[in-house]
Amino acid sequence: MKNHGRWYLFFFLTPILLWLFLMILLPHMDLLIMSFRAEDDFGEMVWSFANYLNFFEEPIYWATFARTALYSILVTVLTFIIALPVSFYITHVVAPKFSGFLMLLLLLPFWVSELVRVYGWMILLRESGVINHFLVQMGILDKPVEMLYNDATMILGLVYTSMLFMVVPLISVLESLDKSLIEAAYDLGANMWTILVRIIIPHSMPGIVSGSIVVFMLTLGNYLTPNLMGGKNSLWFTEQIYNQFIASFNWNQGSAFGFLLLILSSLIIWAGLKLTGQKLSKVVK
Amino acid sequence: MFTLSPDKNMQTDLSVQNVTKKFEEFTAVDSVSFDVEQGRFFSILGPSGCGKTTLLRMIAGFTEPTDGIISIRGENMAGVVPNKRPVNLIFQHLALFPMMNVAENIAFGLQRQKVGRADIQKKTETILERVGLPGFAHKKIDQLSGGQKQRVAIARCLVLEPTVLLLDEPLGALDLKLRDQMKVELKKLQAKVGTTFVYITHDQSEALVMSDYVAVMNKGRFEQVDTPQNLYSNPSTPFTAQFVGDNNAWSGRLTGLSGNMATVVTPEGNSFTINTHGKTFAPDAGVDLFLRPEAMLIQPDPSMDQLNRFEVVVKAILFDGANSRLLATPLNSEKELIIGLPQNRQFDHIRPSDRIEIGWHGDSGICFPGKEGRS
C-alpha cells in the first residue's frame, strides 16, 4: 500500500519536476554562468564580475533600475487603491446575482491579448485619437494634445493591465468578511475611515499582500506596456535587458541584468512581507 | 398601545410609537408601539420571520422605519446614524473583531469616543472583571470558548454605558447546557449593571426566564406584552397560548353558557365546562380550547367532582425526566394530546395502549372564540 502511494506520487510529480528543472532551473543556471563571463583584453571568455560592475558604473543602468522599482511600487499602490473599492462593491454592496456579472465584466478585457489592449489605449489617447477628437470638437482644447509617451500614461497602462490580479485575491478575502463586523464597528461608534483601517484592511491583509506581490512582479517584468505607452524618457529596466540581448547581442550583460532584476524583486517582496508582518506561506495559500 | 405598570418615577429609556417597516409590498413590522422603562429586561419573542430582527435593527439605526417614531430617553432618533445613537447591539454571531485581542475589542468603542489611554485600560479591566473574565485582556478571540466570546461581546457594549443594550438572539449558537447557564448569568449581569436590555429571541424559555416583560410578536405585530407569568397563565390571543409554553389546542362548539362557565362539545363528543374569563361568545359559536399538559390530571380522584373527565388511549410515553409526557388520543379520535406525567412513581404502571381517565378543571383551560363553521 505504501509503495503504491509512493509510485503515484512520483507519477504525478514527474511532469512538474521535469518542467521546473528543464524550463526554469537549467536555463537560469546557464544564464547565471553567462552573467559571470566576459571577454578579456584578448577577446577570450573568462570568469569576471565585469557585467555587474558595468551596471554600477553606468548611471543610466542603475537609474533605470531604481526608476523601474519605484514606479512598480507606485503602480502596485495605485492598483490597490482602485481595486479595493471595486472589490468591496462587488462582494458587499451589489446584489449577489450581479456580482458574478460584474466579475465577468472585469475579466472580459483580459480575454484579448495585452498588445491589443495597449493599442486600444493608444487609439484613445494619441494626438489624433478619440479623446482628443472629442475635446477639440467640444471646444475644450484648441488643438490636439499628445497624451501618449509620458510617465503618467505608462502608469495608467500598467495599472489597467494589473487590475484583475489585485481584484481577484481581494474579492476572495472580502467574501469571507462578515458584514456584521462592519455593522458592529459602526454600532460601536466607528466612522467609515476607521472601519476601513481597523476592520476591512486588517481582514484583507493576506489578499492585499498576495495581490500586491503578483501585481508588483508583473509590473516589474512588464515589457510591452512601458515600451509602447512610455515615451523616450520612460525607460523600463526590461527594455535594458532586451537591448542587451537583442540590440547589442551581449548575452552576458543581459543575463547579469536579468539576475539583478530577480534579486531586486525578491528583496522588495521580502521587505514588503516584513513591513506588513505577513508570512509568505500564509499569503500563497 | 400597550402600557405597562404606569410607574411615574421610572424614566422611559426606549419609546417606540406606531413603528412600521415596509419592504416594497411586504410589511415586516406593522405599527408596533411599546415603552421600556429604565433598567428593565424587555424581550421580544416571536417565531423566525415575525419581524423582530427588523424592529431591533430599526432601534439600532441600521434601518429607518417607514413610519412611526423611535425615541431614546425622549430624544427622537429619526435620521440619527448607528454610530451616533446611545444604543449598542450584540449581534447574533457576536461579531467580535478577530483581528484584535479581547482588550482591543473592548477598547474599540472607547477609542471612538476619544477616551484617554489610561482610562481605557482602567475601564477595560473593570468591565472584564464584571463579566467574569479577569486576566483575559490579551487573549485572542479564537482562543475563547463560546461562553467567553459571549461575555466579551457583552463587555464590549456595556463598557460604552449605552442607554439601551440590544441583544439579537446572542445565545442561539451555544449548546443547551451553556445556554441555560448563560441565561441565568445574563439575568444576573443585567440586574447588577442596571442597563436597559431589549432582547429578541425565538426561544420562549430564554424570554420567560430572563425578562421583566415579554412582547409576543407575530407577523409584524405585537400579540401581547406582559410579564412572563401572565403570558403563560393568561394568554390574550390563541397565538400566544400556543407559542408560549406547550399547549393542546382543541376546537369545539358552544352549547350552553351560564355565567362565566361555558359548556363546549368537542367533535369527539366530549362535553366540557370551561371558564370563559369574561370573554363573550355568540350562541352556538366555535370555540378553541387550550389545555396545558400539566393542567390535565391522570386518573384523578373520584371525589374531585368539578373536573371535566374523559378517557384516552395512551399512544406513547415520552420520558424526559421532570418534563415527561404522555402522548394520548381521546376515544374514537385521531387527535393527539400531550399530558404531563409527574415523575413521582405514581403512574409507573401506565403502558402504551392502556385506557386511562383524564380530568381537568374548568378554570385551568383557556378558550377563545374559534372560527365559524368549524364543528
Side-chain angles (χ1 to χ4, degrees):
Chain A
M1 203 51 212
K2 209 171 175 188
N3 282 335
H4 248 85
R6 195 166 289 173
W7 189 85
Y8 276 119
L9 189 69
F10 275 119
F11 182 81
F12 287 110
L13 265 182
T14 308
I16 182 97
L17 287 177
L18 277 176
W19 181 70
L20 278 175
F21 182 73
L22 292 175
M23 312 290 279
I24 311 277
L25 209 59
L26 214 59
H28 271 82
M29 274 161 58
D30 192 38
L31 284 175
L32 187 65
I33 292 165
M34 233 192 281
S35 74
F36 282 108
R37 291 182 75 81
E39 278 181 29
D40 65 2
D41 297 341
F42 309 102
E44 301 266 328
M45 293 305 277
V46 291
W47 293 102
S48 147
F49 283 108
N51 299 319
Y52 291 93
L53 285 175
N54 265 344
F55 170 80
F56 292 103
E57 280 161 4
E58 197 69 63
I60 180 89
Y61 291 150
W62 56 259
T64 316
F65 192 72
R67 235 178 71 93
T68 307
L70 288 176
Y71 273 169
S72 297
I73 293 171
L74 179 67
V75 167
T76 310
V77 171
L78 286 176
T79 313
F80 167 67
I81 291 172
I82 298 170
L84 187 68
V86 171
S87 321
F88 189 80
Y89 184 80
I90 290 179
T91 47
H92 287 277
V93 180
V94 85
K97 59 178 173 181
F98 286 121
S99 61
F101 173 69
L102 289 180
M103 248 332 260
L104 194 72
L105 282 189
L106 273 174
L107 205 70
L108 218 58
F110 288 81
W111 287 358
V112 258
S113 91
E114 192 184 349
L115 188 66
V116 177
R117 270 180 284 140
V118 170
Y119 273 115
W121 274 111
M122 292 173 80
I123 290 168
L124 283 176
L125 294 173
R126 70 181 174 204
E127 209 173 345
S128 56
V130 178
I131 292 176
N132 266 314
H133 177 78
F134 277 110
L135 288 177
V136 170
Q137 285 273 303
M138 287 190 296
I140 295 167
L141 290 179
D142 294 336
K143 57 183 176 85
V145 179
E146 182 56 271
M147 298 184 200
L148 276 174
Y149 314 125
N150 58 51
D151 287 359
T153 323
M154 180 183 73
I155 285 176
L156 172 108
L158 285 169
V159 168
Y160 171 73
T161 310
S162 317
M163 266 294 280
L164 190 72
F165 302 100
M166 187 65 94
V167 168
V168 169
L170 280 185
I171 281 183
S172 78
V173 285
L174 282 175
E175 265 174 349
S176 67
L177 175 64
D178 186 356
K179 224 177 195 155
S180 65
L181 289 186
I182 296 170
E183 286 186 338
Y186 194 25
D187 184 66
L188 291 167
N191 55 27
M192 287 307 150
W193 176 250
T194 315
I195 292 173
L196 178 72
V197 175
R198 298 282 314 265
I199 310 291
I200 297 175
I201 290 183
H203 174 89
S204 318
M205 217 52 205
I208 294 172
V209 173
S210 71
S212 296
I213 289 176
V214 173
V215 168
F216 176 76
M217 296 221 270
L218 284 175
T219 308
L220 199 68
N222 198 321
Y223 175 73
L224 204 64
T225 310
N227 200 18
L228 290 177
M229 290 179 84
K232 287 229 162 58
N233 299 320
S234 312
L235 263 180
W236 208 248
F237 198 64
T238 46
E239 290 171 60
Q240 299 280 15
I241 300 175
Y242 175 87
N243 285 341
Q244 292 302 330
F245 274 105
I246 307 298
S248 316
F249 218 69
N250 188 349
W251 280 49
N252 304 79
Q253 187 65 62
S255 15
F257 282 0
F259 271 94
L260 283 166
L261 194 63
L262 182 69
I263 293 164
L264 172 76
S265 63
S266 309
L267 266 177
I268 290 180
I269 285 167
W270 175 82
L273 285 171
K274 274 273 169 276
L275 218 66
T276 54
Q278 297 284 315
K279 289 205 167 60
L280 191 63
S281 55
K282 251 191 176 165
V283 166
V284 293
K285 237 195 289 187
Chain B
M1 175 71 208
F2 298 90
T3 37
L4 310 165
S5 68
D7 189 345
K8 291 274 188 293
N9 300 325
M10 282 283 225
Q11 191 179 8
T12 303
D13 265 353
L14 171 68
S15 170
V16 171
Q17 304 295 333
N18 300 314
V19 163
T20 300
K21 179 70 190 178
K22 285 189 175 122
F23 295 106
E24 283 156 33
E25 64 264 42
F26 173 68
T27 308
V29 175
D30 190 0
S31 190
V32 164
S33 300
F34 64 97
D35 286 329
V36 183
E37 285 158 352
Q38 191 173 9
R40 292 273 192 239
F41 199 122
F42 186 88
S43 289
I44 300 169
L45 171 67
S48 50
C50 73
K52 56 190 191 300
T53 302
T54 310
L55 181 58
L56 202 73
R57 289 175 66 84
M58 284 194 283
I59 300 171
F62 290 115
T63 17
E64 279 291 315
T66 315
D67 204 8
I69 296 166
I70 294 170
S71 42
I72 294 163
R73 288 231 171 119
E75 225 171 289
N76 191 341
M77 285 291 124
V80 180
V81 287
N83 57 357
K84 301 271 184 272
R85 289 197 185 200
V87 295
N88 286 117
L89 173 60
I90 292 180
F91 286 78
Q92 191 163 11
H93 300 291
L94 308 178
L96 295 174
F97 306 133
M99 58 290 273
M100 304 177 201
N101 66 21
V102 170
E104 287 166 335
N105 262 283
I106 293 171
F108 187 86
L110 294 171
Q111 286 166 350
R112 306 284 79 76
Q113 296 179 351
K114 307 269 184 271
V115 178
R117 192 181 277 262
D119 265 0
I120 289 182
Q121 187 164 5
K122 211 167 68 197
K123 284 189 175 187
T124 306
E125 276 168 19
T126 315
I127 199 79
L128 276 176
E129 208 142 312
R130 190 157 248 190
V131 297
L133 293 175
F136 275 69
H138 298 292
K139 290 246 179 186
K140 282 206 173 328
I141 294 304
D142 53 19
Q143 290 175 312
L144 303 179
S145 70
Q148 289 167 342
K149 281 184 189 161
Q150 202 81 51
R151 285 177 234 194
V152 174
I154 292 165
R156 187 174 72 173
C157 288
L158 281 184
V159 78
L160 300 176
E161 292 161 16
T163 307
V164 180
L165 183 66
L166 308 171
L167 300 100
D168 183 3
E169 307 198 31
L171 304 186
L174 301 181
D175 58 70
L176 189 68
K177 258 270 172 344
L178 194 58
R179 196 157 57 204
D180 283 340
Q181 194 188 327
M182 281 307 292
K183 266 191 273 197
V184 180
E185 263 184 53
L186 207 55
K187 173 78 184 159
K188 278 199 275 189
L189 186 72
Q190 193 266 342
K192 199 158 65 176
V193 296
T195 306
T196 307
F197 276 37
V198 174
Y199 188 99
I200 69 167
T201 180
H202 63 265
D203 183 315
Q204 40 144 325
S205 124
E206 282 176 22
L208 297 182
V209 168
M210 293 191 284
S211 318
D212 297 314
Y213 287 98
V214 179
V216 178
M217 196 171 181
N218 184 32
K219 291 182 183 156
R221 295 183 147 273
F222 275 7
E223 296 265 336
Q224 187 173 359
V225 184
D226 223 324
T227 60
Q229 291 81 357
N230 270 342
L231 276 186
Y232 192 80
S233 55
N234 242 335
S236 65
T237 65
F239 179 81
T240 311
Q242 276 206 295
F243 194 73
V244 179
D246 289 321
N247 236 333
N248 292 297
W250 214 342
S251 60
R253 186 159 286 279
L254 190 80
T255 57
L257 191 62
S258 71
N260 253 346
M261 299 311 278
T263 310
V264 176
V265 177
T266 67
E268 289 79 18
N270 296 307
S271 178
F272 297 137
T273 315
I274 184 167
N275 193 333
T276 58
H277 296 284
K279 292 186 193 72
T280 48
F281 292 91
D284 202 33
V287 176
D288 283 335
L289 293 177
F290 290 96
L291 295 175
R292 296 267 180 217
E294 68 270 18
M296 286 189 274
L297 310 174
I298 299 166
Q299 293 172 327
D301 195 272
S303 67
M304 301 163 80
D305 54 354
Q306 288 200 313
L307 295 186
N308 295 303
R309 288 164 189 269
F310 62 104
E311 283 202 315
V312 296
V313 178
V314 177
K315 286 273 176 191
I317 294 162
L318 312 172
F319 181 77
D320 185 15
N323 198 24
S324 297
R325 311 289 174 86
L326 281 183
L327 187 65
T329 55
L331 290 185
N332 316 318
S333 169
E334 293 293 304
K335 176 162 192 62
E336 285 184 338
L337 296 174
I338 293 169
I339 299 159
L341 181 63
Q343 286 303 304
N344 50 13
R345 320 234 51 169
Q346 191 188 340
F347 305 114
D348 282 3
H349 62 274
I350 294 175
R351 296 276 170 271
S353 76
D354 281 359
R355 256 173 83 155
I356 54 171
E357 193 186 34
I358 298 296
W360 58 278
H361 195 275
D363 285 344
S364 59
I366 302 273
C367 60
F368 294 101
K371 289 204 180 81
E372 275 312 313
R374 207 198 288 165
S375 57

